[in-house]
Amino acid sequence: MKYISRIFFTLTVLILSTNTYSQNKKHFTGMLEYRISVRDTAMGNMMPVNKMVVYTNDTIVRIENYTQNLGKQVAIKHMTKGKSYLLLETDFGNFALQMDADEELSSEPNPNDTATVAEYAFKKKCLKKRLLGRKAKRMLVSHADFEEPIEFLYLKGYSNKIVDTYEEVPGLPVKYSIPMTDAVLDYELVKMSEYTPERDLFGIPDDFERISFNDFMDRLIDSQENME
């Protein structure tokens, strides 16, 4: 069951990073690397620092998450078609979980859902902060699960379609936080490179089986029962 819980946590991180895309500003072509840490130091001992790497070719986004227990997991999403895949390598096979834009994967809150948007308060701040040599705009965000308002940073002029976690952030978020059931995850951009990624990055490998989320969970449960 611990393995299943880790799968759900990983999927949640991927899903929160690939939700509905809003139309805003210009696109970014290249690579972004984020550091993911848990705000609560006590929970940090259970959830070590991870990273998220994002590639985009202006039409498709590929998001790679790295965890100590599960290694690399990949999400691929077409910006305009609303189709996405989660690529998972497991002990019982390689799978591409096919998802539609309106399909629910997790019980975790999606910051862009209408029901949860009202729980947030966004307040733009004066002055700017430098991050990776770039001037980032500031925004103070409040939420019931935040012990105190958290400062978000974003790069104005870039599209928020790439990392579409909060529609209210009018640019590319480079430092932000997401409340989960048991913790608050902090994301911070640590690397940004503009170039044209290889086309193969955005395809589904031939050795991955395309499968629905429900069918994958049935396979996962069966694999755990066979190990007992």
Side-chain angles (χ1 to χ4, degrees):
M1 292 301 293
K2 290 183 179 179
Y3 183 78
I4 295 178
S5 297
R6 290 197 296 268
I7 284 285
F8 270 118
F9 176 79
T10 300
L11 293 180
T12 299
V13 172
L14 289 169
I15 295 156
L16 289 177
S17 302
T18 56
N19 271 301
T20 306
Y21 287 88
S22 61
Q23 295 185 359
N24 182 15
K25 308 298 181 181
K26 66 178 181 180
H27 297 292
F28 169 83
T29 299
M31 184 275 289
L32 306 167
E33 181 178 330
Y34 289 83
R35 177 181 182 268
I36 307 175
S37 59
V38 180
R39 178 165 289 263
D40 187 335
T41 54
M43 289 295 294
N45 296 327
M46 301 173 57
M47 302 177 185
V49 174
N50 295 318
K51 69 176 180 177
M52 177 177 76
V53 180
V54 181
Y55 300 92
T56 179
N57 65 0
D58 192 35
T59 302
I60 305 175
V61 173
R62 174 189 174 102
I63 296 180
E64 299 179 354
N65 274 269
Y66 298 82
T67 63
Q68 190 175 46
N69 295 318
L70 297 174
K72 182 176 75 173
Q73 294 82 44
V74 177
I76 297 177
K77 178 150 187 170
H78 197 290
M79 293 187 192
T80 57
K81 294 182 179 179
K83 291 286 186 179
S84 62
Y85 288 89
L86 302 179
L87 306 185
L88 294 176
E89 298 181 18
T90 73
D91 295 334
F92 53 95
N94 298 333
F95 301 94
L97 281 64
Q98 183 174 359
M99 300 304 305
D100 293 327
D102 59 350
E103 192 167 2
E104 293 290 340
L105 285 183
S106 169
S107 59
E108 298 289 349
N110 172 6
N112 283 337
D113 283 347
T114 304
T116 60
V117 166
E119 300 175 6
Y120 291 85
F122 297 84
K123 182 179 180 181
K124 293 183 179 180
K125 303 292 289 184
C126 298
L127 304 179
K128 298 180 180 179
K129 281 189 175 180
R130 282 193 172 274
L131 185 66
L132 299 181
R134 299 170 183 261
K135 292 183 179 179
K137 303 203 71 171
R138 303 161 60 210
M139 178 177 283
L140 203 61
V141 181
S142 301
H143 185 271
D145 291 334
F146 295 164
E147 292 186 0
E148 59 184 9
I150 298 177
E151 183 179 76
F152 286 19
L153 300 179
Y154 64 94
L155 297 179
K156 189 174 181 180
Y158 287 96
S159 173
N160 65 3
K161 290 184 178 183
I162 306 162
V163 182
D164 185 33
T165 308
Y166 295 94
E167 293 181 354
E168 293 79 9
V169 176
L172 175 66
V174 293
K175 188 175 182 181
Y176 60 98
S177 301
I178 296 178
M180 308 288 285
T181 299
D182 301 317
V184 175
L185 298 182
D186 291 335
Y187 290 70
E188 182 173 355
L189 187 69
V190 295
K191 188 175 182 180
M192 182 176 185
S193 301
E194 296 192 55
Y195 68 100
T196 302
E198 295 182 4
R199 184 176 179 180
D200 291 345
L201 276 175
F202 306 101
I204 307 297
D206 293 336
D207 59 341
F208 277 69
E209 178 184 352
R210 302 192 186 206
I211 190 173
S212 69
F213 175 76
N214 290 335
D215 287 342
F216 170 77
M217 292 308 301
D218 290 340
R219 298 271 194 97
L220 175 60
I221 293 172
D222 289 343
S223 70
Q224 295 298 295
E225 290 177 349
N226 292 334
M227 293 175 58
E228 295 177 354

